[in-house]
Amino acid sequence: MSVIRNRILVGETPTAPEFVYRTPIVGFAAPAVASATGTAPVTLTEPSPGSAPLGERIAKALGGFLYDLLWERDVWGPGGHLPVRLAAAYSYPTATGTGGPTLDALVPILLVTAHDFTPARDCGSGIGTFVRTVGDAVQAWYEAAEPPQGAIRFDVTLYAGATPAQPLIHAGDLWYQLPKS
């Protein structure tokens, strides 16, 4: 098993092997449980988009995704938690192929290397929650950079609570479409 990057760069055309990056994965959450990885792009949507600040809208969309991911059986009490790692990048198209596929550039804007994520609290968009802190950081970047178009792409990994922490769930391509300026 390996992490693969750049396998498909443009449309259905295979990428030259020299540009494909692979890294072996050697750990799992437990001896009998493999980690779950989602590689297909997921568009984050807001339940009721409105005139709220961008940070709050991002928090609602990201929090809604994490809530749906983690609350299937409502097992999270007030003390339940998972370590989380999150990266956010600005994505914008640099080239388009015929028929629609694009080659996107990624500009890193935020890295949260470790946070003790409490689903009962941190999925909400209220001030001080994890997703709101992420949303506010993205909003601060957005206001400073004033990008004309594009999306914010999130890479989220939730870890098993055991030590050493092993990847449990990895959502590698979450998209939040930015408003056009």
Side-chain angles (χ1 to χ4, degrees), residues 37-43 171-175:
T37 301
T39 57
V42 174
T43 301
D173 201 8
L174 307 176
W175 288 65

Side-chain angles (χ1 to χ4, degrees), residues 13 45 90 105 164:
T13 306
T45 57
Y90 168 59

Side-chain angles (χ1 to χ4, degrees), residues 26-31 33 35 82-84 157-168:
V26 296
F28 293 99
V33 180
S35 61
L82 291 170
V84 65
T157 304
L158 295 156
Y159 293 88
T163 304
Q166 297 293 318
L168 182 63

Side-chain angles (χ1 to χ4, degrees), residues 35-152:
S35 61
T37 301
T39 57
V42 174
T43 301
L44 299 176
T45 57
E46 303 161 58
S48 56
S51 60
L54 179 64
E56 186 177 337
R57 296 192 327 257
I58 288 173
K60 286 181 181 177
L62 182 59
F65 172 82
L66 292 172
Y67 181 87
D68 290 345
L69 181 69
L70 298 172
W71 282 86
E72 177 66 27
R73 289 185 276 155
D74 198 16
V75 296
W76 300 101
H81 65 277
L82 291 170
V84 65
R85 178 186 177 276
L86 177 139
Y90 168 59
S91 175
Y92 60 94
T94 57
T96 57
T98 56
T102 64
L103 181 60
D104 294 331
L106 283 176
V107 178
I109 58 173
L110 177 66
L111 177 63
V112 178
T113 57
H115 176 77
D116 199 22
F117 186 81
T118 305
R121 179 190 68 231
D122 285 328
C123 288
S125 61
I127 294 174
T129 64
F130 175 72
V131 295
R132 180 62 179 268
T133 302
V134 168
D136 289 346
V138 171
Q139 179 177 337
W141 169 85
Y142 181 79
E143 290 170 355
E146 298 179 359
Q149 63 179 344
I152 301 298

